[in-house]
Every structure is written in structure tokens, then in C-alpha cells.
Amino acid sequence: AQTVTQSQPEMSVQEAETVTLSCTYDTSESNYYLFWYKQPPSRQMILVIRQEAYKQQNATENRFSVNFQKAAKSFSLKISDSQLGDTAMYFCAFMRLTGTASKLTFGTGTRLQVTL
Amino acid sequence: NAGVTQTPKFQVLKTGQSMTLQCAQDMNHEYMSWYRQDPGMGLRLIHYSVGAGITDQGEVPNGYNVSRSTTEDFPLRLLSAAPSQTSVYFCASSPLRVGGGYTFGSGTRLTVV
């Protein structure tokens, strides 16, 4: 079974600064997907970024980028130029790479507060 | 295109009552699933389905039933509500092809008193 660990329950960052959220995972699989989801106070789950394990290049989406270290089983999220709208709960998630849709396994989340 | 629609958004039940949380999607996704979210525990899988007539248990299935009679609908039934089932419930759907992204509903906040 796969496990996902987010060791930072809460973090705070000032507007315009950069913050990194940590995520580690445990799996015996060699091919898989990793995700970061954002959950603002509205409760909606929003996909932030996705990484395919067989791709060595780190994924980037505008101000969001990841540092994917496959050997270390680490998948951190960097948010650059933080904005007040980035205030949310962030979840790291794992999915096996199979021929069909697979279950998402989530971490416990990191609550990020962006301050003025 | 409505995506994934969950109803109701809020519900209060008394211990022992039963109810059904509704989930419908209009994207023709084969894969549908139910998660519950509890503080400090992330989202945990309750049940999932890979197509009409096919369901399976997730990590925390006890106290819940599901059925999938159509591609569009995947209701979650609480048979006899308990305070331990107080939680936020999310329905999500995905195409069956590998790498298809999940689309989540807006969630149902359930309180059992």
C-alpha cells in the first residue's frame, strides 16, 4: 500500500515571498503520478500541478513548481510570488500508473496562510 | 457543463437515521469515487466504481453502501448514521484512461448528532 506524508501541518508566508511545502511518499511502484491539490475556504478541490514519475523534468504551472526527487521519494511544491488567494489547504496525492483510472491516496494536508 | 454535482451541501442527521448523498456527473466518466475528509486525516477513500454495475470498497467502507446503476450517478448511502460519520464528503470522477484527471464535487458537510 502507498502512503503519503506531509510533515508540515501549518505554514505561513508573506505576500510576494516564496514558500515550499514538503511531501514524501512510500511505494514499491516504479511508475506513478503525483499531484498537488489546493482546497481554499470554499472547500472546492482544485488541481494545482501533476507530475508523472517517468518524466525527469520537474512540472511547472505559472507560479507553482515542484521538486521531484524520485530516489528520495520526495515531491515538494514551491509557490513563488505568493498571493493572498493562495491561502488554502494543500494536499499531496499519489496515483499508481495503470491501464485504467486508479485510486488517489492523499496526505494529511498543509494549511498555508499568506499574510500582508 | 456542470461537472460533478453533489447534493445536499449541508445535512444534520440524528444518530440511527439513514440518508443518501447524491452525486451526478455529466462528463461520461467511467470512474467515480467517494472520499471523506476529516481534520488531520486528509481524504480517505470510502467506495469507488469503474463503471455501471461495478463497485468496490476503499479504505473506510464500514457503515456505507453504494450502487452504480448508470454511468452518471453514484449515490452514497448511510445505513444507520453514527457520530463518527460526521465529516465532509466528496464525490470525484475521472475518465478510465490512464492519467485522466479527477474532477471533484463541491462536498457535503454532514453532522450526526
Side-chain angles (χ1 to χ4, degrees):
Chain A
Q2 292 77 28
T3 58
V4 178
T5 301
Q6 294 179 251
S7 59
Q8 305 153 315
E10 295 183 353
M11 295 192 72
S12 180
V13 63
Q14 287 191 319
E15 198 177 21
E17 297 296 309
T18 296
V19 63
T20 299
L21 280 57
S22 300
C23 173
T24 59
Y25 58 95
D26 186 25
T27 183
S28 58
E29 305 277 343
S30 58
N31 291 318
Y32 45 86
Y33 287 97
L34 294 163
F35 304 83
W36 279 98
Y37 280 88
K38 170 185 178 181
Q39 186 181 46
S42 67
R43 204 168 66 197
Q44 186 68 41
M45 293 290 287
I46 302 166
L47 177 64
V48 175
I49 202 164
R50 173 170 59 187
Q51 175 80 42
E52 296 167 32
Y54 62 89
K55 290 187 177 180
Q56 293 184 339
Q57 186 173 4
N58 289 325
T60 299
E61 288 287 343
N62 301 314
R63 298 182 295 107
F64 298 88
S65 62
V66 299
N67 183 4
F68 173 48
Q69 301 291 329
K70 190 173 184 179
K73 297 181 181 176
S74 171
F75 183 60
S76 60
L77 175 70
K78 185 172 80 171
I79 306 174
S80 304
D81 186 25
S82 297
Q83 301 175 358
L84 295 177
D86 295 333
T87 292
M89 195 77 168
Y90 287 82
F91 291 99
C92 179
F94 174 100
M95 179 191 288
R96 288 187 306 139
L97 180 66
T98 67
T100 60
S102 181
K103 294 170 276 188
L104 270 178
T105 300
F106 288 88
T108 53
T110 295
R111 186 174 302 280
L112 177 67
Q113 180 72 45
V114 181
T115 60
L116 291 171
Chain B
N1 190 347
V4 177
T5 302
Q6 282 185 243
T7 55
K9 294 192 183 303
F10 301 93
Q11 183 71 49
V12 179
L13 284 180
K14 293 183 178 179
T15 297
Q17 286 185 319
S18 62
M19 80 159 294
T20 299
L21 306 185
Q22 300 291 346
C23 176
Q25 52 94 5
D26 60 0
M27 298 169 286
N28 203 32
H29 286 171
E30 299 93 339
Y31 185 90
M32 297 186 74
S33 54
W34 278 100
Y35 286 84
R36 60 177 289 173
Q37 181 181 9
D38 301 294
M41 303 189 75
L43 281 78
R44 293 179 293 167
L45 182 64
I46 304 172
H47 285 286
Y48 66 99
S49 169
V50 298
I54 306 169
T55 64
D56 205 348
Q57 296 181 349
E59 182 184 355
V60 288
N62 291 341
Y64 308 95
N65 271 358
V66 292
S67 59
R68 184 93 179 271
S69 56
T70 67
T71 299
E72 294 78 19
D73 300 300
F74 191 45
L76 178 72
R77 297 182 184 85
L78 280 70
L79 309 174
S80 177
S84 61
Q85 293 179 304
T86 293
S87 188
V88 177
Y89 292 85
F90 286 95
C91 180
S93 73
S94 169
L96 205 55
R97 59 177 170 80
V98 65
Y102 272 43
T103 301
F104 283 84
S106 57
T108 297
R109 180 174 292 278
L110 175 68
T111 302
V112 182
V113 298

